[in-house]
Amino acid sequence: ERGLASDGTEPVAEAMLCSLRTIVPLVQGEFVEAAELADTAVRLCEPSNLSVWLSNAYSLRGSTRVWLGQIDDGLADLERGATLYETAGAKASLSFLLYRWAEGLLLAGSADAARVARRAVELAACAGERANEASALHVLGQVVARDAPHGDAADAHYRRALVLGTEIGLRPL
């Protein structure tokens, strides 16, 4: 909990802060720390009915769980996060939740990874979410490389991801 509750922070702000604080250790590969923060974020969001923040907390927790080898629980959280977000009518950055879910499916070896990654690419492109599009293209490239290792399609996805990532300063992918 990192002392957040004792500093007088409002519950909504506390839940948001905890969710956001999960991202850095997750990206840095500090999965145990990220998992603790994500668990806290879920616990803070669930009773407050904060659908958008809860969906993000589930997604972040799902990513940490998959990376920690808790595949089934992680995939359930990733799917729950994306589904809750979409059901709540949220549109902005749905591609973020979807590409995270696709990444989890890829790590689990699931055939559904391609479908989810393609949807993430499509939504990100339509919404002008270039960072999410680049990340989703990178995941899609990994999926295609896994499924058809001798094809040119994976290379095309990687190249598109690299071009987008270079344009917006998202390096390395």
Side-chain angles (χ1 to χ4, degrees):
E1 255 91 351
R2 306 204 175 265
L4 292 174
S6 63
D7 71 2
T9 305
E10 292 293 322
V12 172
E14 187 176 351
M16 292 166 56
L17 178 63
C18 201
S19 290
L20 292 171
R21 288 183 65 202
T22 302
I23 296 170
V24 171
L26 176 60
V27 171
Q28 293 176 335
E30 300 292 335
F31 302 121
V32 172
E33 179 182 352
E36 291 171 3
L37 289 165
D39 280 337
T40 300
V42 168
R43 282 197 310 275
L44 291 170
C45 291
E46 281 180 330
S48 302
N49 196 25
L50 302 170
S51 296
V52 171
W53 285 101
L54 179 58
S55 61
N56 279 289
Y58 279 140
S59 180
L60 292 165
R61 186 173 74 177
S63 288
T64 63
R65 285 177 162 179
V66 168
W67 281 105
L68 289 170
Q70 302 165 9
I71 303 297
D72 291 339
D73 289 339
L75 291 178
D77 274 347
L78 287 161
E79 182 176 10
R80 185 179 302 127
T83 302
L84 177 61
Y85 195 82
E86 193 165 21
T87 302
K91 295 193 182 359
S93 296
L94 175 59
S95 60
F96 174 80
L97 300 177
L98 290 173
Y99 94 71
R100 284 284 189 197
W101 183 16
E103 180 181 59
L105 291 165
L106 170 68
L107 292 170
S110 172
D112 287 333
R115 176 185 55 80
V116 175
R118 282 189 181 93
R119 183 153 182 252
V121 169
E122 178 183 298
L123 289 175
C126 288
E129 297 169 351
R130 296 173 54 129
N132 291 342
E133 183 180 1
S135 296
L137 281 164
H138 186 256
V139 172
L140 183 57
Q142 291 175 307
V143 171
V144 171
R146 176 198 69 190
D147 295 345
H150 301 294
D152 292 333
D155 188 56
H157 295 307
Y158 283 136
R159 288 184 187 280
R160 283 181 54 205
L162 185 60
V163 167
L164 272 174
T166 300
E167 287 176 4
I168 62 175
L170 182 65
R171 297 276 301 166
L173 279 177

